[in-house]
Amino acid sequence: MSRVYGAQIDVVEKEGRPVRFTWSGRIHTVRRVIDHWVTLRAEWAAEAGERLPQRRHWRVEAGSDRSLGVYELRHDVVAGSWTLVRVLD
């Protein structure tokens, strides 16, 4: 089961990978990357201009030492924004 959010988040990256994100005032440290994939869509090309329109998706295990969860994050490369897409139970 999962819950869908679509909430904008702040992400700290290292070498293109998320290492920490802030959601609802809480800092979540990424413990491990479970999966990573990229989506490309033709209709994004107009918005992207000369840059390749893509979204990078990351499924990560993150949280604190006491509370870990699985989160799906999305990075819109053109806009530079990060979104918490869903929290998996």
Side-chain angles (χ1 to χ4, degrees), residues 11 15 30-31 45 54 63 74 76 80 83:
V11 175
E15 298 176 2
V30 174
R31 303 293 182 197
Q54 60 179 267
R74 181 180 68 218
D76 184 320
T83 304

Side-chain angles (χ1 to χ4, degrees), residues 36-54:
H36 172 248
W37 65 98
V38 177
T39 55
L40 303 171
R41 301 206 29 198
E43 63 264 25
W44 297 340
E47 298 172 23
E50 294 181 14
R51 293 188 289 177
L52 181 64
Q54 60 179 267

Side-chain angles (χ1 to χ4, degrees), residues 6 8 11 13 17 21 28 32 47 54 59 66 88:
Q8 295 296 307
V11 175
E13 298 175 58
R17 292 174 163 244
F21 64 94
H28 300 267
R32 71 182 175 112
E47 298 172 23
Q54 60 179 267
R59 184 165 294 150
R66 290 180 240 145
L88 295 105

Side-chain angles (χ1 to χ4, degrees), residues 6 9 13 18-19 23 25 29 38 41-43 49 51 54 56 60 63 66 68 71 77 80 85:
I9 56 174
E13 298 175 58
V19 293
W23 173 48
T29 301
V38 177
R41 301 206 29 198
E43 63 264 25
R51 293 188 289 177
Q54 60 179 267
R56 295 183 175 272
V60 299
R66 290 180 240 145
L68 288 175
Y71 302 87
V77 175
V85 178

Side-chain angles (χ1 to χ4, degrees), residues 72-84:
E72 190 174 302
L73 314 177
R74 181 180 68 218
H75 182 212
D76 184 320
V77 175
V78 173
S81 61
W82 283 87
T83 304
L84 172 63

